[in-house]
Amino acid sequence: MDTQKKKIELERECLVCYDSIKYYAFGECCHYCVCSTCFLRMKVLFDNAKCIQCQSVFERTIISAAPKLHSEYDFWEDGTPIDTSLTLDNNLDIVFDASVPEQHRMELDKLQSKDCPVCDTPFSTVEKLSDHLRDAHQRQFCKLCLKHKQAFVRELPTFTGDELKVHMEKGDGEGQPFKGHPACGFCLDHASKPKGRRGEGGQKGGMKQKQKLRFFDENTLFRHLSHDHFTCFLCEKKGILYRYYKDYQELEKHFLDSHFLCTDADCLDKKFVAFDNEVDFAAHEMRVHKKTAKEAGKLMIGFSVKKAGHGGEGVDDENDVVERRRRQRESTSFQFNPSSRLRNQHQQQQRGGQYQHAAGTSGLDFAFDGSMYRGASVDEAELAS
């Protein structure tokens, strides 16, 4: 009885796309806050038939331009509508009332199709549609948008080869929010070969220069960088964030040039045994390698001479300068510049102990919980715990 007295409150804008709602999709909770198109995306693409506001599951979804209370619609026990003015779409398990014209029902049905956007030829799979677009119209989908974008195939744009390059690198034009798919500074896209007899520009064999490996958005790029590449934990302590090195060999060159890397064979095998200053390094030499204070002092002086600007006052000799410059040229890094939103999210995860510091090809993950790794060896058993 309480439901019968409930006042209908219609949202003017869809809580998903923020467009004005013409056709409402709603369930038993009677929250009228999502448009029919967005609900269809949620249901078909993500298998999600929940209310966007209260997260209750829709047992029977109704679409209407002039919705009533859900309880005012009558259904048989099997869920089929009693009122003949209601139309049940058996494939979608959605009911349309009389206020929804046939044209809109056809538009929703068309939205799910895999018809060619150029000539309307129907296809059973996206792969066949993609082949047709390439062979018949010399156009293609963006594979990243096709895989990750929350949209039907029918809603995705198609591109010529040149248009796709602009889309990937620069986005959809001035004034548009999409500024291109971000690229990894190290990896190449080994799958970036055109199919068919001729490649871009009509060259036989489809040969073209390999492109940088790109990702759908900064979140997926950040996950890739964190999982497959390396950052310097010593630089991060100084606030130098999001600077990545291709592999551990590159990071080790950085340790050797900019910090204090222990070159003992056991420590080199353990990896990451590096220090930010001579005092910590000398303490490590005495504690781990049983050096005397005098021996450690000599080592500190030697490092200070070779690392002018990193705690020492000495001057490099000519051979040291040449070697150092060679390492700097060879040790390449990539500076990732995340948005403020991603930075804030990352900082919250770090404070909560959720940040995973990737160790790339070594297969080790360092989980920082507020205390920073200072060069002591860490084995897999410790990491697992």
Side-chain angles (χ1 to χ4, degrees):
M1 296 298 294
D2 291 339
T3 305
Q4 294 289 346
K5 298 178 182 179
K6 184 177 179 180
K7 183 180 179 180
I8 294 179
E9 297 181 0
L10 302 179
E11 295 284 349
R12 293 184 178 182
E13 295 180 348
C14 173
L15 296 185
V16 178
C17 67
Y18 300 108
D19 288 339
S20 297
I21 302 178
K22 187 174 183 180
Y23 302 103
Y24 292 84
F26 59 97
E28 291 77 5
C29 63
C30 295
H31 288 135
Y32 308 93
C33 55
V34 65
C35 69
S36 57
T37 303
C38 284
F39 179 79
L40 188 66
R41 289 194 194 98
M42 291 162 52
K43 183 177 178 65
V44 175
L45 299 179
F46 305 103
D47 193 26
N48 180 4
K50 295 181 180 180
C51 173
I52 197 69
Q53 185 168 326
C54 70
Q55 293 299 300
S56 61
V57 178
F58 291 175
E59 298 296 334
R60 170 60 66 204
T61 304
I62 300 173
I63 292 180
S64 173
K68 303 180 291 184
L69 291 174
H70 195 282
S71 58
E72 295 181 30
Y73 296 89
D74 295 324
F75 298 93
W76 297 108
E77 290 185 1
D78 63 357
T80 56
I82 296 176
D83 190 341
T84 56
S85 66
L86 301 178
T87 303
L88 172 64
D89 186 315
N90 289 303
N91 292 328
L92 293 176
D93 198 24
I94 291 176
V95 171
F96 298 88
D97 74 5
S99 66
V100 182
E102 177 69 20
Q103 180 181 356
H104 183 61
R105 298 201 294 270
M106 292 176 62
E107 288 172 352
L108 293 181
D109 188 59
K110 187 75 171 178
L111 199 59
Q112 305 170 71
S113 73
K114 299 177 182 65
D115 298 352
C116 174
V118 180
C119 64
D120 277 336
T121 303
F123 293 93
S124 58
T125 67
V126 176
E127 290 75 16
K128 291 180 180 179
L129 170 59
S130 298
D131 290 343
H132 165 79
L133 277 170
R134 184 190 64 246
D135 296 337
H137 306 295
Q138 291 75 51
R139 300 190 71 82
Q140 56 192 307
F141 291 115
C142 168
K143 292 183 178 179
L144 290 174
C145 292
L146 188 63
K147 182 177 180 179
H148 297 285
K149 197 168 185 178
Q150 300 174 0
F152 290 104
V153 174
R154 187 75 181 184
E155 297 177 294
L156 297 176
T158 63
F159 306 92
T160 64
D162 291 338
E163 289 170 348
L164 180 61
K165 184 177 180 181
V166 173
H167 167 81
M168 296 288 279
E169 296 178 359
K170 300 180 180 180
D172 294 337
E174 188 175 351
Q176 298 298 317
F178 177 65
K179 302 301 181 183
H181 296 296
C184 175
F186 307 112
C187 300
L188 296 177
D189 184 1
H190 297 287
S192 59
K193 290 182 181 179
K195 296 181 180 179
R197 296 181 180 179
R198 294 182 179 273
E200 205 66 35
Q203 294 180 357
K204 191 174 182 179
M207 298 297 293
K208 69 174 182 179
Q209 185 179 4
K210 288 181 180 178
Q211 303 294 317
K212 290 181 178 180
L213 183 61
R214 293 185 176 273
F215 294 82
F216 179 66
D217 57 17
E218 65 171 6
N219 291 287
T220 51
L221 173 59
F222 181 53
R223 287 196 292 270
H224 163 76
L225 290 169
S226 299
H227 185 269
D228 294 335
H229 301 296
F230 290 78
T231 57
C232 173
F233 65 92
L234 295 170
C235 288
E236 286 179 330
K237 289 174 65 177
K238 297 179 178 180
I240 303 173
L241 305 176
Y242 310 111
R243 182 173 294 173
Y244 290 88
Y245 297 85
K246 181 179 180 181
D247 48 35
Y248 183 75
Q249 287 72 29
E250 293 298 318
L251 180 59
E252 191 174 77
K253 292 176 186 176
H254 167 73
F255 284 152
L256 194 60
D257 181 68
S258 300
H259 303 292
F260 295 85
L261 176 70
C262 181
T263 55
D264 178 84
D266 289 340
C267 288
L268 289 176
D269 288 340
K270 290 173 182 176
K271 300 181 179 180
F272 302 100
V273 186
F275 304 86
D276 191 43
N277 56 68
E278 311 98 303
V279 175
D280 287 347
F281 179 58
H284 164 81
E285 288 290 317
M286 290 187 289
R287 183 182 69 254
V288 177
H289 302 301
K290 309 305 180 185
K291 296 285 181 68
T292 65
K294 184 176 181 180
E295 290 172 327
K298 289 181 179 179
L299 196 59
M300 289 169 59
I301 294 172
F303 265 98
S304 296
V305 169
K306 289 188 176 182
K307 293 182 178 292
H310 288 277
E313 300 299 331
V315 179
D316 298 345
D317 62 31
E318 184 177 352
N319 291 332
D320 288 332
V321 171
V322 172
E323 176 63 17
R324 188 172 177 183
R325 287 178 178 174
R326 182 189 67 78
R327 289 199 305 267
Q328 286 177 331
R329 287 195 301 270
E330 293 181 353
S331 178
T332 56
S333 62
F334 169 65
Q335 183 65 48
F336 175 52
N337 296 306
S339 65
S340 57
R341 179 192 60 80
L342 183 58
R343 283 178 182 267
N344 292 335
Q345 180 183 349
H346 181 206
Q347 289 170 1
Q348 290 174 1
Q349 290 174 343
Q350 282 183 302
R351 286 193 290 268
Q354 301 175 21
Y355 173 54
Q356 294 295 316
H357 181 96
T361 55
S362 70
L364 301 179
D365 289 327
F366 292 91
F368 289 101
D369 58 357
S371 60
M372 298 301 294
Y373 174 62
R374 289 178 59 83
S377 61
V378 180
D379 60 29
E380 292 186 12
E382 288 176 303
L383 292 172
S385 64

